[in-house]
Amino acid sequence: MNEIINACFEAIHLLITLDPEVMEITLRTLYISLTSTVIAALIAVPLGGYIHFRKFRGKRTLVNIIQTLYSMPTVLVGLLVFLIISNQGPLGNLHLLFTPGGMIMGQTILVLPIITGFTILALSGVKDEIKDLSLALGASEFQAIETIMHEAKYALLGALILGFGRAISEVGVAMMIGGNIRGYTRVITTTMSLETSKGNVELSIALGIILLILALIINLVLNYVQEK
Amino acid sequence: MNLLEIQKLSKQYEEKDVLKDINLSLKKGKTLGLIGPTGCGKTTLLRIIDLIETPSSGRIIFNGQEIPKTKEEQIKIRRKMGMVFQKPIVLKGTVYDNIGYGLKIRGKNKEFYHDEIKYLLDSLGLSGYEERDASTLSGGETQRMALARALVTDPELLLLDEPTANLDPQSTEKIEDFIGKLRGERKTTVIIATHNLIQGQHLSDEIAILNQKIFQIGEPEDVFRKPKNRFVAEFVGVKNVKKGISHIVEEGLALIDTGTITVYSSTALEGKVYLSIRPEDITISQSKVETSALNEFNGEIKEIKDSGGILDLKIDVGEVFSVFMTRKSFADMGLTIGSQVWLQFKASAVNVFEV
């Protein structure tokens, strides 16, 4: 018990003194996960919009598949991306394996379904009458879609935050694609995994606290946004 | 000049007729009341006019121009119209944002229209509401805001779909007053869909009785006094509708046999017909009188209903007629159930329409 308490004090010390390694890992984690989320959002929001606004056969099945992919195991995505970007894979010549670029690619794939699915959900939450109203007030089809997006903006932001939450907290892709290389691809979750197995729990606890704080901030923002 | 003309317009949903052979025209500056029961196609017709929905067949001519096929061209025409929906809808943002929406999407600067927006808010009893969050308004306030939102772009044609349905009487009155003002001051051409006969009659230059097709269109007074068919007669609440066979006895005079009585009418219709007589056009006396009225029948009072000061008597003269009478006349004459009375009405008071 004492060990845990001591480790907690040590962790707080690392945080207060802004330990360079802790800060570096945190910033890299934020960089990789934020970039993945932004890239995923650029693909997923228009894609979700397209699926929502178009009528086509198999739409329901497609939405079901997307929803199933929310719970895709991170190690499975890791494996998939590994096979694609390893030297023998189709994108092997890009040399993305064990680089932050490869991690970004993996996390992007991981959060794409969540953001797409929640974009569809966000847009379905806007009443059909909003489209009629904007058309009746003189909007073009495109302007009407813009208006619907605007009506759904808080729910859309919620979708992005959820995607970011999944990216920052996952370990499978980061470990398998990043390789946990110190000073290059090491992120919070992979560090915690490694340091705990080495018995260096102070660093793990410090990083765990940071991860929790980030999760708290995400939740606070989400709550604030949804209250609006 | 006609602002709007509709020719042979029909609409089907999944092979079910919603609108059939609609023909109407509306002059600039006039108000048309589209009146019919719930589900009669009023909303669909307004949506088609506003180019939100496409008709299955038929033509729409706006300002002398047939509605173009491409969406890009249609927007230009839609932007000359404004519509208020039955259900109050708000866009996210303030009241000012909501009202300015139509200006924004037309690429106009809301700030230039500040005075107009203020004028509209003042006229609709929403002074000082500019910065209020639109989602916090009551149903009546939202609907008044919706009117301002539709009017700020100064539409040539304003479409109102049951604008006061589900509103409290005070909000209804405010909206009705404003629509009245629109007709008087702005000369806006308006189509107002309503199931409320009194409102339609009160606010419109012409009314169209709609139930999938237009059963009658004309000045309110004409439609109310002279319904052309049974649907309109029943819808406008005409009483004393009887079926009979008409034959002309001389020019301008027909005799209609209902099977139990024969009634004189100034109709020119022959054959199977319906006739109706407004209860207020029938007079009652206790003995036979010499009057100019061609129709006089003797009968017995079967039922007396008090409908707010006016008594509605059911009198059986072979056919049962409903006759209105003030409480005072009723007391003066000393009538009661079972009293024998005479009914008189003019041939010109007998409205006749085809079966």
Side-chain angles (χ1 to χ4, degrees):
Chain A
M1 191 64 199
N2 271 349
E3 234 172 68
I4 298 173
I5 294 169
N6 285 339
C8 284
F9 279 122
E10 182 60 29
I12 291 165
H13 177 73
L14 285 172
L15 288 175
I16 291 171
T17 56
L18 299 175
D19 178 77
E21 192 179 9
V22 172
M23 289 305 119
E24 186 218 301
I25 293 171
T26 306
L27 286 178
R28 183 178 304 114
T29 306
L30 283 173
Y31 162 70
I32 290 174
S33 298
L34 274 176
T35 311
S36 314
T37 311
V38 169
I39 295 173
L42 290 175
I43 303 166
V45 173
L47 180 67
Y50 186 84
I51 295 170
H52 174 75
F53 290 115
R54 295 282 153 183
K55 281 181 189 150
F56 55 87
R57 271 185 66 180
K59 182 168 170 171
R60 215 187 169 84
T61 316
L62 180 64
V63 173
N64 278 333
I65 292 171
I66 291 169
Q67 285 171 345
T68 310
L69 293 180
Y70 292 175
S71 46
M72 185 162 50
T74 58
V75 281
L76 185 64
V77 178
L79 175 65
L80 205 80
V81 177
F82 184 90
L83 291 174
I84 293 170
I85 64 175
S86 66
N87 281 337
Q88 282 80 35
L91 298 179
N93 52 1
L94 292 178
H95 304 296
L96 284 170
L97 194 59
F98 305 130
T99 65
M103 294 165 79
I104 289 172
M105 185 177 168
Q107 290 193 351
T108 302
I109 293 172
L110 184 71
V111 301
L112 259 177
I114 286 204
I115 303 184
T116 310
F118 278 84
T119 297
I120 296 170
L121 202 67
L123 296 174
S124 326
V126 178
K127 291 183 195 123
D128 288 342
E129 293 108 42
I130 294 288
K131 188 180 179 193
D132 288 346
L133 175 71
S134 46
L135 289 178
L137 292 172
S140 63
E141 289 277 329
F142 185 74
Q143 284 173 322
I145 288 175
E146 272 184 340
T147 304
I148 293 167
M149 290 280 194
H150 184 258
E151 289 290 308
K153 67 180 174 188
Y154 297 123
L156 285 175
L157 200 58
L160 300 193
I161 290 170
L162 267 170
F164 177 68
R166 174 135 162 99
I168 202 169
S169 58
E170 71 86 28
V171 63
V173 172
M175 191 66 99
M176 291 169 78
I177 307 298
N180 199 17
I181 302 165
R182 189 171 195 175
Y184 186 47
T185 58
R186 188 163 289 182
V187 289
I188 293 181
T189 51
T190 56
T191 315
M192 284 174 72
S193 167
L194 178 76
E195 297 299 325
T196 308
S197 63
K198 275 165 55 183
N200 185 7
V201 284
E202 296 85 1
L203 186 59
S204 285
I205 291 175
L207 290 171
I209 291 171
I210 290 178
L211 207 53
L212 272 178
I213 290 171
L214 288 174
L216 180 70
I217 292 171
I218 290 168
N219 260 305
L220 287 177
V221 173
L222 195 63
N223 276 331
Y224 176 73
V225 153
Q226 278 170 347
E227 267 172 27
K228 269 233 164 181
Chain B
M1 184 188 165
N2 285 335
L3 180 69
L4 180 76
E5 241 174 272
I6 292 176
Q7 297 169 353
K8 294 184 178 167
L9 185 140
S10 299
K11 175 76 179 174
Q12 286 103 31
Y13 284 124
E14 291 161 0
E15 291 176 24
K16 193 172 161 267
D17 283 325
V18 181
L19 293 170
K20 278 193 289 195
D21 195 29
I22 303 290
N23 294 285
L24 61 87
S25 58
L26 182 59
K27 287 196 170 60
K28 268 188 183 158
K30 295 287 179 191
T31 298
L32 173 72
L34 213 50
I35 305 175
T38 307
C40 71
K42 299 185 291 276
T43 301
T44 307
L45 183 54
L46 286 189
R47 288 169 64 90
I48 289 174
I49 295 172
D50 201 26
L51 312 180
I52 297 176
E53 275 187 54
T54 44
S56 305
S57 62
R59 297 171 74 200
I60 302 172
I61 296 151
F62 186 81
N63 233 341
Q65 184 198 353
E66 182 152 1
I67 299 299
K69 294 274 181 274
T70 65
K71 287 195 167 172
E72 292 72 26
E73 290 292 311
Q74 286 187 358
I75 292 174
K76 289 182 193 163
I77 297 196
R78 198 191 295 127
R79 286 188 172 177
K80 292 178 181 167
M81 299 189 244
M83 182 156 171
V84 174
F85 296 87
Q86 175 175 357
K87 205 169 150 192
I89 318 167
V90 289
L91 296 166
K92 278 207 166 72
T94 62
V95 171
Y96 194 86
D97 291 338
N98 263 270
I99 297 176
Y101 180 83
L103 299 169
K104 197 176 99 185
I105 54 173
R106 284 166 176 76
K108 292 180 177 170
N109 191 338
K110 274 189 276 190
E111 314 310 320
F112 285 130
Y113 290 82
H114 192 80
D115 291 345
E116 172 70 2
I117 294 177
K118 195 171 177 315
Y119 165 78
L120 285 168
L121 285 174
D122 290 349
S123 321
L124 283 157
L126 295 171
S127 306
Y129 274 54
E130 284 91 337
E131 294 311 315
R132 285 268 291 267
D133 179 351
S135 63
T136 62
L137 301 185
S138 72
E141 288 167 341
T142 306
Q143 209 56 328
R144 280 182 275 149
M145 178 189 77
L147 254 175
R149 188 169 56 191
L151 279 168
V152 73
T153 52
D154 199 17
E156 290 179 45
L157 177 62
L158 179 66
L159 305 167
L160 305 171
D161 186 9
E162 299 260 13
T164 63
N166 321 322
L167 294 190
D168 58 279
Q170 278 179 330
S171 293
T172 301
E173 198 185 323
K174 278 182 185 158
I175 288 180
E176 286 181 351
D177 284 352
F178 185 77
I179 296 170
K181 240 170 101 179
L182 271 182
R183 296 173 62 202
E185 292 172 14
R186 286 209 180 200
K187 306 273 181 230
T188 310
T189 314
V190 182
I191 300 181
I192 175 167
T194 176
H195 66 272
N196 182 337
L197 265 175
I198 309 293
Q199 184 179 64
Q201 179 191 25
H202 174 58
L203 293 176
S204 315
D205 299 302
E206 274 200 327
I207 57 174
I209 306 290
L210 181 78
N211 193 16
Q212 288 187 0
K213 60 179 189 172
I214 291 179
F215 279 84
Q216 190 169 352
I217 186 163
E219 288 179 16
E221 180 71 10
D222 274 354
V223 177
F224 280 91
R225 291 199 80 92
K226 292 174 187 159
K228 277 187 181 158
N229 48 62
R230 192 180 173 106
F231 177 79
V232 178
E234 282 176 354
F235 189 72
V236 301
V238 167
K239 297 198 168 194
N240 301 327
V241 179
K242 316 286 171 202
K243 202 171 180 177
I245 294 165
S246 164
H247 62 270
I248 307 287
V249 287
E250 62 181 75
E251 200 184 322
L253 192 66
L255 200 56
I256 302 166
D257 186 356
T258 69
T260 48
I261 58 169
T262 50
V263 177
Y264 283 104
S265 167
S266 52
T267 184
L269 286 177
E270 274 195 292
K272 283 185 180 171
V273 292
Y274 281 110
L275 64 88
S276 72
I277 305 134
R278 294 163 66 88
E280 52 271 44
D281 288 340
I282 304 176
T283 55
I284 297 181
S285 62
Q286 277 168 314
S287 53
K288 195 168 168 46
V289 286
E290 290 297 320
T291 72
S292 62
L294 287 174
N295 296 299
E296 187 162 33
F297 303 98
N298 177 238
E300 183 186 319
I301 299 177
K302 291 285 185 193
E303 194 187 324
I304 302 163
K305 254 203 293 192
D306 188 345
S307 45
I310 298 284
L311 299 178
D312 180 357
L313 310 184
K314 303 274 185 252
I315 299 165
D316 188 354
V317 297
E319 295 280 349
V320 177
F321 283 98
S322 193
V323 183
F324 290 166
M325 203 175 188
T326 60
R327 202 184 281 277
K328 183 178 183 306
S329 307
F330 185 75
D332 289 350
M333 289 171 75
L335 297 175
T336 179
I337 288 182
S339 300
Q340 289 289 318
V341 290
W342 288 83
L343 304 186
Q344 300 88 21
F345 50 89
K346 293 179 176 179
S348 59
V350 180
N351 178 49
V352 178
F353 43 90
E354 284 171 359
V355 174

